[in-house]
Amino acid sequence: MADSAQRKIIHVDMDAFFASVEQRDNPELRGKPVAVGYPAARGVVAAASYEARAFEVRSALPSVTALRRCPHLIFVPPRFDVYKEVSRQIHAIFADYTDLIQPLSLDEAYLDVTANRRGLPTAWLTAKEIRARILEETGLTASAGISYNKFLAKLASDQRKPNGQFAVTPDMGAAWVETLPVKRFYGVGPVTAKKMQALGIETGADLRAKSLPFLQRHFGSSAEWYFEIARGIDHRPVNPDRERKSSGSETTFDRDLVDNAQIEAGVLGQADDVWTWCERAQSFGRTVTVKVKYADFQQITRSRTLPMAVRSAEKLREASLALIRSVLPTEKGVRLVGVTVSGFEPQQGGKTQALPLFA
């Protein structure tokens, strides 16, 4: 990957990040199945150690299900302040190699190291050095994918997990994609994967065999993306100034609620959480959305776009309350509510203030 005409992109993904931090800081947890989260009836696994993953315990799994799969699972409460501090350390390491860093979350990011400031001749050596420094400075392992575009780099970072790296070179990219199941592809979620399977599309080769008109007929505006990634094509740049498009907060209740006042109180609490972020980031949006998930897991949303951006906590509470009241009263129990603000107004320079994912 030394050809200067090609982009050199690394996708760095920390290994079981939250759980690994907990095992690092508490030696008694090392080598044991650990889940970050709460074992309560409505709890959800935020992260799982590799020992827990051996029992098919994964993030977003209900805690009761996780305990059925792994009765000796150890739950530890999340410490997000600690995870953010470690993430800052990792980000500082990245910055020694490039200015082109696009964080995706606390534990993963894209780096464009085409012109890395350490002068290393290949992206492979750059990724190897970055991973070594992360281990030395944080005591944690990371995996990396190296390629000439973001799509392939992200796929590659899963190939040698944990604590490994894998490169997809320009001469192997398209052929390698053909060997992979489409359910691994970015932008192909469980619903789309099931739809593709019904159409006889299970691998990259199957996807590549379909014409663009066929894909447009079945997948609409996503068709061109699927057509290109089946050929290993992705022109998206690593964008360090990626704007945040929304800010949201949601909560799962301890029990299903049918009482209007209790449901409204939950929505107001989430509105206050969202306002805290908006005020700190000085980002104000016009569209307010309320999300409701019922006891039977049916999910609905209600949105309203206002003439002007919401610039006070009271206005956000008022809009959120009006939206939740549009679906009340309810005979079905409510399991979860959430509030999101989007449609941010441009700030000076034409950009909104992005939430610093490593801050």
Side-chain angles (χ1 to χ4, degrees):
M1 299 198 66
D3 182 358
S4 60
Q6 292 282 350
R7 282 179 177 158
K8 301 177 183 180
I9 295 177
I10 302 171
H11 178 256
V12 179
D13 193 3
M14 299 300 296
D15 297 324
F17 183 50
F18 295 173
S20 294
V21 171
E22 298 302 333
Q23 290 178 316
R24 179 197 68 177
D25 293 350
N26 183 353
E28 293 184 2
L29 298 177
R30 294 173 190 170
K32 297 179 181 178
V34 173
V36 176
Y38 300 95
R42 292 306 184 91
V44 175
V45 174
S49 68
Y50 281 98
E51 294 85 357
R53 294 181 189 187
F55 293 87
E56 297 187 352
V57 174
R58 297 284 189 274
S59 61
L61 190 72
S63 298
V64 290
T65 304
L67 283 168
R68 280 201 300 269
R69 293 181 180 180
C70 181
H72 54 295
L73 185 65
I74 302 170
F75 276 89
V76 294
R79 299 182 297 153
F80 289 107
D81 288 346
V82 175
Y83 309 147
K84 289 177 182 178
E85 178 54 38
V86 177
S87 191
R88 274 193 288 266
Q89 289 179 266
I90 297 165
H91 187 265
I93 293 171
F94 295 160
D96 282 344
Y97 297 85
T98 180
D99 291 324
L100 298 176
I101 304 164
Q102 182 179 330
L104 300 179
S105 62
L106 288 175
D107 62 343
E108 62 175 320
Y110 290 114
L111 286 68
D112 187 326
V113 297
T114 308
N116 77 80
R117 55 179 49 152
R118 305 283 274 208
L120 294 169
T122 65
W124 178 269
L125 291 175
T126 303
K128 191 173 182 179
E129 185 171 303
I130 288 172
R131 291 177 47 244
R133 284 190 57 191
I134 289 173
L135 180 60
E136 180 183 357
E137 297 180 29
T138 71
L140 302 170
T141 63
S143 297
I146 306 109
S147 197
Y148 54 95
N149 66 44
K150 289 164 69 173
F151 172 72
L152 293 172
K154 187 169 175 63
L155 279 176
S157 65
D158 279 336
Q159 284 294 112
R160 296 288 184 266
K161 266 188 168 292
N163 195 26
Q165 62 184 58
F166 183 78
V168 180
T169 59
D171 60 346
M172 66 180 280
W176 183 67
V177 168
E178 291 188 358
T179 68
L180 302 176
V182 291
K183 63 184 179 181
R184 280 188 55 188
F185 292 0
Y186 175 78
V188 179
V191 174
T192 302
K194 189 173 181 179
K195 182 177 180 179
M196 286 187 174
Q197 186 178 30
L199 293 168
I201 303 170
E202 299 204 24
T203 67
D206 296 333
L207 184 59
R208 181 165 184 163
K210 301 301 181 183
S211 68
L212 183 56
F214 176 90
L215 295 175
Q216 288 171 330
R217 197 159 57 247
H218 291 282
F219 300 102
S221 60
S222 299
E224 189 171 346
W225 169 251
Y226 298 145
F227 185 82
E228 292 197 335
I229 61 175
R231 292 156 175 77
I233 299 169
D234 178 9
H235 299 296
R236 297 173 301 154
V238 172
N239 182 8
D241 298 318
R242 188 176 56 141
E243 297 177 12
R244 188 179 179 108
K245 296 181 179 179
S246 65
S247 176
S249 179
E250 60 185 44
T251 186
T252 300
F253 298 123
D254 291 335
R255 66 185 190 285
D256 299 332
L257 300 181
V258 293
D259 181 76
N260 290 0
Q262 291 179 317
I263 296 168
E264 290 175 5
V267 167
L268 292 175
Q270 301 317 297
D272 289 343
D273 284 349
V274 173
W275 175 253
T276 298
W277 178 87
C278 291
E279 191 173 40
R280 188 177 74 237
Q282 286 297 289
S283 289
F284 306 104
R286 294 175 53 210
T287 301
V288 180
T289 301
V290 165
K291 170 183 172 183
V292 178
K293 184 182 288 185
Y294 293 105
D296 61 3
F297 287 87
Q298 179 194 5
Q299 183 174 298
I300 64 169
T301 58
R302 294 291 183 268
S303 296
R304 181 184 175 195
T305 298
L306 304 170
M308 299 179 64
V310 177
R311 289 187 171 272
S312 72
E314 189 54 40
K315 286 290 184 184
L316 180 55
R317 287 166 65 93
E318 181 183 311
S320 302
L321 205 54
L323 289 168
I324 191 62
R325 284 176 176 171
S326 72
V327 300
L328 295 177
T330 177
E331 295 182 359
K332 292 197 295 185
V334 171
R335 174 184 177 87
L336 172 151
V337 294
V339 174
T340 299
V341 173
S342 57
F344 293 135
E345 285 188 338
Q347 294 186 338
Q348 282 189 335
K351 294 178 182 176
T352 53
Q353 175 71 31
L355 177 66
L357 293 176
F358 286 89

